[in-house]
Amino acid sequence: MKSPQIVGLAAAVTSAATFATSGAFIKPLLEAGWSPAAAVTARAIVAGLLLLPLVLFSLRGRWDALWRGRWRIAGMGVIAVAFTQLTYFAAIRLIPVSTALLVEYLAPLLLVIWVAVTTRRVPRPMVLVGSVLAIGGLVLVIGPGALGAVDPVGVALAFAAAVGCAVYFVVAARPADGLPPVALAGTGLLLGGLTLGLAGLAGIVPLEMRFGTVPLLGSVVPWWVPLMVVAFFGTAVAYATGIFGSGRLGSRLASFVGLLEVVFASILAWIVVGEQLTPLQMAGGVLILAGIASIPAEPAAPQPAADEPVEMKAALPI
């Protein structure tokens, strides 16, 4: 593996690990009376504001990069952040969280299938082997019982979240064309947070917040403490490193590395709240790692010239 791909892999693993912190620190807010949409809106807007100084520094007055990357920013904010979060939280109101996670994290498989259909080419054998290993490991980590959901609406909403998750990796892996990864992350989060906020004001999703103290790690802390942890680590760092990693690895491999989030989340639950890891979960983690190792890296996408338009389509060799 080449040096840029090693750096990209490190960034993608960091993204998966920091994304995994979200559940443990968002849960106290939800138990205190926050609606899921309100928690997601707050974390996206706060994370976008935290990244704003880095966004401005990375651009250094090159505002034309924002205009050239407008469709990537729109895709990141409206679909990857707002749409994915809305459909996922709508799904878990109808089906178990484990089932929703299992369906949402079919995103890497969706990318493989999409490219096979659009290019009319059979995926490489190692891609198929890696897909089977990784998805099988995902089932074991989340729990075989996740396959028992019967509510078709909930499953459809979770599948919509999977599509949004796949779009995230595709958008993140597109040629930068002068738009730094941190700028795409920051502006996308702000746009996604504002979109969710407007959906709440329009009555599409409930926006309920409670300001007081919440229990966290055996103590009582102000409500903004877990929010800031999630906004910084689970959102700002997670999206910025994820976009950077996808640009180096390509959307397919980055999406499979993203499956490590469920492994990290299980480990975090074991450390923070004492939930024991079962032998099946450990075996699932090994299968996910084996699947990731089987997926060949994609060649780096060529960077277009400054005067060459960038097409919004996925270049995903299989």
Side-chain angles (χ1 to χ4, degrees):
M1 186 174 286
K2 299 178 181 178
S3 179
Q5 292 173 339
I6 293 175
V7 174
L9 181 61
V13 171
T14 300
S15 177
T18 49
F19 266 128
T21 64
S22 299
F25 288 92
I26 280 288
K27 188 175 181 179
L29 293 178
L30 299 179
E31 291 178 343
W34 284 58
S35 65
V40 173
T41 300
R43 71 180 278 197
I45 292 177
V46 172
L49 292 176
L50 288 173
L51 287 176
L52 188 57
L54 294 178
V55 171
L56 297 176
F57 177 78
S58 67
L59 290 172
R60 289 190 288 277
R62 292 180 286 116
W63 308 118
D64 58 315
L66 290 176
W67 176 249
R68 291 197 305 272
R70 62 192 181 278
W71 295 115
R72 292 183 72 211
I73 294 171
M76 182 62 63
V78 177
I79 300 178
V81 177
F83 175 80
T84 303
Q85 297 288 348
L86 281 175
T87 50
Y88 172 74
F89 282 119
I92 63 176
R93 304 180 90 172
L94 300 173
I95 60 177
V97 172
S98 59
T99 306
L101 280 175
L102 178 62
V103 175
E104 182 183 8
Y105 279 99
L106 292 177
L109 188 59
L110 293 182
L111 290 176
V112 172
I113 295 173
W114 172 255
V115 176
V117 171
T118 56
T119 63
R120 298 181 181 178
R121 292 167 51 198
V122 177
R124 302 176 194 174
M126 292 309 295
V127 172
L128 295 176
V129 170
S131 299
V132 171
L133 290 174
I135 299 303
L138 178 65
V139 172
L140 293 182
V141 172
I142 292 177
L147 298 172
V150 294
D151 191 309
V153 176
V155 172
L157 288 168
F159 185 80
V163 173
C165 185
V167 169
Y168 160 71
F169 287 108
V170 171
V171 171
R174 293 299 301 157
D177 196 23
L179 184 64
V182 69
L184 175 58
T187 53
L189 285 168
L190 286 174
L191 178 59
L194 291 174
T195 301
L196 284 169
L198 290 175
L201 292 176
I204 299 175
V205 292
L207 288 180
E208 300 174 3
M209 302 180 181
R210 299 290 185 271
F211 306 108
T213 58
V214 296
L216 182 67
L217 300 177
S219 61
V220 177
V221 299
W223 62 272
W224 52 265
V225 172
L227 177 61
M228 291 302 295
V229 171
V230 172
F232 181 75
F233 291 105
T235 310
V237 174
Y239 274 96
T241 54
I243 292 170
F244 179 85
S246 295
R248 298 302 187 278
L249 299 177
S251 57
R252 183 188 60 215
L253 180 54
S255 67
F256 277 95
V257 176
L259 293 178
L260 288 175
E261 180 185 342
V262 297
V263 178
F264 284 121
S266 298
I267 295 173
L268 188 64
W270 173 43
I271 295 173
V272 176
V273 297
E275 292 183 3
Q276 296 296 318
L277 289 173
T278 67
L280 278 180
Q281 286 180 308
M282 295 179 188
V286 172
L287 283 179
I288 290 175
L289 289 173
I292 293 170
S294 302
I295 302 294
E298 301 167 32
Q303 295 292 335
D307 57 349
E308 183 179 341
V310 178
E311 297 182 8
M312 282 300 297
K313 60 182 180 181
L316 304 174
I318 57 174

